[in-house]
Amino acid sequence: LNWGRRYSLWCFNFGLACCAIESIAASMAKHDSIRMGVIPFATGPRRADLMIVPGTVTDKMAPAVKPLYEQMPEPKYVISFGACPNSGGPYWDSYSVTKGVDQII
């Protein structure tokens, strides 16, 4: 188990909305992926290789995403989880929704 944990991608979950609830539920007791080292979550961005962005990124939260990304060591990867962080989802025409996390990072 320790060998698997050592060579796994360490994830940093920057959950923002309803998709975050689903990604957190995937790591809970029913699936138990963290204990087996499949998806180990880091305690902060400085220990993470992968940043997962689930949920709607609003213009108010957008300035918080970039500094967390910059704190991650190289090599660093980002996965946007769901339609909302990719393009705004059903809220794409709202004045306060960022039209994709790729506009920031």
Side-chain angles (χ1 to χ4, degrees):
L1 287 177
N2 289 332
W3 177 86
R5 289 185 185 116
R6 187 175 330 129
Y7 294 108
S8 295
L9 280 174
W10 287 85
C11 302
F12 175 65
N13 193 358
F14 188 71
L16 295 168
C18 50
C19 290
I21 295 169
E22 296 298 324
S23 66
I24 291 168
S27 64
M28 291 298 133
K30 182 176 181 182
H31 303 288
D32 206 12
S33 58
I34 293 175
R35 184 175 64 90
M36 295 300 180
V38 177
I39 309 172
F41 284 103
T43 56
R46 294 175 197 247
R47 294 179 181 89
D49 304 312
L50 172 68
M51 181 178 187
I52 301 173
V53 184
T56 308
V57 181
T58 60
D59 292 339
K60 190 170 186 174
M61 286 303 295
V65 175
K66 188 166 178 126
L68 291 174
Y69 175 75
E70 291 171 351
Q71 289 178 12
M72 293 170 56
E74 293 287 338
K76 48 188 164 185
Y77 305 99
V78 177
I79 294 177
S80 58
F81 182 89
C84 294
N86 289 335
S87 62
Y91 315 108
W92 65 272
D93 61 346
S94 175
Y95 69 93
S96 63
V97 172
T98 305
K99 308 301 187 263
V101 77
D102 61 333
Q103 304 291 323
I104 305 160
I105 301 175

